[in-house]
Amino acid sequence: MLINILILSVAVFLVANFLPGIRVKHFGTAIMVAIVYSLVNFFFGWLLIVLSLPFMLITFGLFKLVINAVLLWLTDKMLDDFQIKDFFTTFIAALCITLVDSGIKWVMSSM
């Protein structure tokens, strides 16, 4: 679990450095974002998935990107050192964080 938090922290930090509209003060903030995002996802992610199940089925699971953006937006509202400009940037950031996180995990698993 600690490795997953660190990988997510790296993904958040990398995306924040390359995507305009996202501000992360330092890597410690990225770790806090990863922890808070993981907790928000644990407590509310399943509920949002269950409530949006028809949309998930219609879009073949792509609606999960919207759910991830909502969870990232909630994380943004909970932390002062983490700021995202608008919801479109939040959506793009959620997509990029998911891709980078999955890519890092894929590389680590193939080693």
Side-chain angles (χ1 to χ4, degrees):
M1 176 146 152
L2 185 60
I3 296 295
N4 288 334
I5 295 291
L6 288 174
I7 291 171
L8 185 58
S9 301
V10 169
V12 168
F13 193 72
L14 288 174
V15 170
N17 283 327
F18 290 110
L19 192 64
I22 300 178
R23 189 178 67 82
V24 173
K25 275 196 172 183
H26 43 76
F27 189 71
T29 303
I31 292 172
M32 286 304 300
V33 168
I35 291 170
V36 171
Y37 180 78
S38 296
L39 289 172
V40 167
N41 192 17
F42 178 76
F43 287 112
F44 299 111
W46 64 271
L47 179 64
L48 291 174
I49 288 173
V50 169
L51 291 175
S52 66
L53 195 57
F55 295 111
M56 294 285 283
L57 293 172
I58 291 170
T59 63
F60 301 107
L62 290 176
F63 193 75
K64 186 143 179 15
L65 291 173
V66 175
I67 293 172
N68 287 342
V70 168
L71 297 175
L72 191 63
W73 176 78
L74 285 172
T75 303
D76 171 33
K77 298 303 173 196
M78 291 180 180
L79 296 173
D80 292 332
D81 293 341
F82 178 60
Q83 295 178 349
I84 302 177
K85 186 174 74 169
D86 55 10
F87 191 76
F88 179 73
T89 305
T90 306
F91 181 79
I92 298 299
L95 174 65
C96 292
I97 289 170
T98 301
L99 291 175
V100 171
D101 182 62
S102 298
I104 292 172
K105 287 179 181 174
W106 179 75
V107 167
M108 288 186 66
S109 69
S110 65
M111 293 177 119

